[in-house]
Structures are given as C-alpha cells and as structure tokens.
Amino acid sequence: MDVSKYKDEEKKVKKGRRKFNINSMGTKMALAFIFIGIVPLIISGYINYNNAYDALKAELVSTSTQSADLINLSIDNYLNGMGIQTKELSYSRNAVGVYDNPDDEEYLDLLLDQLGNIKDSNPNVLSLYFGAKDKRMIIYPVADLGEGYDPTTRSWYGGAIEKDGGIYWSEPYTDAATGNTVITVSTIVKDGGKIIGTVGLDIDIQDFSNTMSATKLGENGHIFILDNSGMVLAHPNPEMVGTDTIAN
C-alpha cells in the first residue's frame, strides 16, 4: 500500500473541509447576505398573501351582500305584488254582485272565473276566496270546507277588518281546504262605503320556498327566510319549512 498517496488524499479532504468551515468569516458573511436577501422576500410574500386574501375576502363579502340585497328586493317585490293583486280583487264588482244577489248564479260564475284567472297566472297561489259578511264563502278552486264553516271567525277575516282597507298578512297556518301550510293575504271589500266581507289569497309556503331557495349565493351558499316569529318560510330542506327549528 502506498502510504504517501494515502496521506496526500487525507490532506486534500482536510483542506476541503477547511474551505467549507462554517465558523470561517467568509462563510458567516455569505450566510448573512443570504439571510438579508431571503427574509425580506419571505416578509414581502407574507404581506402580499395577506393583502390578497383580505382583498378576496372583501370581494366575496361584497358580492354575497349584493346578492342578498337583490334577493331581498326580489322577495319584497313578489310580496308587494301579492298585496297589490289582493287589493285589486277587493274592487271587484263580481264580489259585490255575489253579495247583493245570493241566488244569481251568473255573478257567482263571473267571480269564480276571475279568481281562477288570478290563480292560473301565479302558481304559488294555492287558493283565492271571498268571505262575505253574511258568512258565505266563495273559494277557488272549489272546495268543501265542511258544514258550518264561518269565514268571519277566521284570523285572515278579522285581520283584514282591523286593517280597515290596508293589507293583512297572516302568520303561517294550516289551510282548512288543503291541509297545506299557508300565508293569507287579505283585505276588506266595501259596497257603498260599508264592509260586506273580505277577499284573500293563500300562498303555499312550500311552493314559495321552492321558488326562493332555488337561488344560490356563490357556489355553496343558499338562502332561507324566517318570519318575525322565527317560522321558516323558505329553506332548501323541505322538512325545515313551517318549523321554528332554526330560531330555537
């Protein structure tokens, strides 16, 4: 074995080690320059990331808020439209004709045709009716409400009387004709300045919910609507509609 050759190789290794000695001044200076160069980049990247995140978050919040505002406006317009339609129905001479001529089938047919046309134009309307002061009830679609049914004892009738020409909105309740959960919009009917009854229309909450909850907020967001008491009026999950689960 050539001992001198081995020693030469060992010297080269030690010399190489000295070149990369971490304790040397040159190495320390190099590391300092690297640190000085990299740290600002890291800080700058972190700041830019946070700024981009905050900007994106603000944009998403703004977009969601705008979408919610548009949905609220759409709901307001829809409900206001229902109120206007009910008010227009209260001016119907057919309702007055039915009240003044209880045995005249012609007025009855005209009123039912009018109610039917309104329902056909709005799928969310479950039924429409004229509840007369003399306790007669004209409803479309025609339904058997049972013997002794008295419209003047119903909340939608009394509520409309209290509003005295304004629009009454009922709390959600179970409809006697269909068993569905509904909201009634009603107002009084006058003839010669005297109240002769009320007209009303029922909005099917489930149909209303299906229409409203089909609207999405972003990719995964959805809307739900509560009334003043916390009752769910619209929700993507049909089982939630008509309950107060969310409020509780």
Side-chain angles (χ1 to χ4, degrees), residues 91-227:
Y91 299 131
S92 171
R93 297 310 300 172
N94 296 325
V96 175
V98 168
Y99 183 81
D100 291 339
N101 305 277
D103 298 323
D104 192 331
E105 294 291 331
E106 182 179 356
Y107 281 111
L108 177 60
D109 291 340
L110 288 172
L111 179 57
L112 288 174
D113 286 343
Q114 183 179 10
L115 300 180
N117 289 334
I118 296 173
K119 176 172 170 46
D120 291 342
S121 67
N122 194 326
N124 288 333
V125 173
L126 188 65
S127 56
L128 303 96
Y129 36 82
F130 167 52
K133 184 179 179 180
D134 59 13
K135 301 183 180 182
R136 282 182 295 153
M137 180 73 168
I138 312 302
I139 185 170
Y140 184 91
V142 177
D144 182 7
L145 301 177
E147 186 177 354
Y149 181 85
D150 182 357
T152 65
T153 64
R154 309 297 289 185
S155 61
W156 52 264
Y157 187 99
I161 298 295
E162 290 178 2
K163 287 291 184 179
D164 193 24
I167 299 297
Y168 171 76
W169 291 87
S170 77
E171 297 293 332
Y173 68 97
T174 301
D175 179 52
T178 63
N180 293 19
T181 302
V182 301
I183 296 174
T184 294
V185 192
S186 59
T187 192
I188 58 174
V189 179
K190 287 185 175 181
D191 182 23
K194 295 181 178 181
I195 298 175
I196 63 171
T198 68
V199 289
L201 59 84
D202 291 340
I203 302 172
D204 189 324
I205 288 184
Q206 188 59 65
D207 286 343
F208 175 74
S209 175
N210 292 340
T211 300
M212 293 296 106
S213 60
T215 304
K216 289 186 176 181
L217 294 175
E219 291 293 328
N220 301 313
H222 62 264
I223 66 170
F224 60 88
I225 303 172
L226 308 178
D227 69 2

Side-chain angles (χ1 to χ4, degrees), residues 76-98:
D76 287 343
N77 289 338
Y78 173 82
L79 296 178
N80 287 337
M82 289 291 190
I84 292 171
Q85 204 163 42
T86 305
K87 192 64 179 177
E88 290 176 347
L89 181 59
S90 71
Y91 299 131
S92 171
R93 297 310 300 172
N94 296 325
V96 175
V98 168

